[in-house]
Amino acid sequence: TNITRPYLAVKKSGEVFIGNTQNNTTSPFVWIEQTEFEHQVSGPTWVNYAAWLNTANTDLIVRSFVGINEAENKLYFVVNEGKRPGTAIGIGAPNMARLLKDFGINKSFMPYFSQYGQLALRKEETLNGFNKVTFPLVNTPTTSQGLLSVGTLANGIAIISKK
């Protein structure tokens, strides 16, 4: 699983990429020494990888994903509202994989299986001569109604970044 578990990494050089493969036999990759990483976030499930689409997980609702295009010059972070009785049935992994391929996203994975997703951005500022780092929410949480476990759901948002 260390070979197939997807991850997003930032090397100390500043290079950003999605690592590993969904199948090392059909899509072999070159191992990267992880001491070269400054940051790394892994996930449990690939949504798509090159020509391969996740068609096996028909019941898996994709609530968020991290993706990159084939040229690896655009990085995508998306949070979807997911499944909500009476409002949305969500989008399963097979349909999301097809959609991402049509958008030109070559590799993508789910960073978690959580029922709820919210996106925060790092914000740096100087207040009274002190450096302060906060992580404000970008999307607005909403109260979820009609669910067995009451929590928050996040409105959908997409961020596309160029190198």
Side-chain angles (χ1 to χ4, degrees), residues 6 18 21-22 45-55 62 65-69 93-94 96-110:
I18 291 181
T21 178
Q22 48 65 345
T45 304
W46 287 99
V47 179
N48 70 324
Y49 186 96
W52 177 86
L53 304 177
N54 185 341
T55 57
V62 179
F65 73 85
V66 177
I68 198 163
N69 66 342
M96 181 60 83
R98 287 185 201 91
L99 183 65
L100 299 181
K101 182 179 178 185
D102 288 347
F103 284 158
I105 297 171
N106 192 46
K107 295 177 188 173
S108 68
F109 70 92
M110 293 174 55

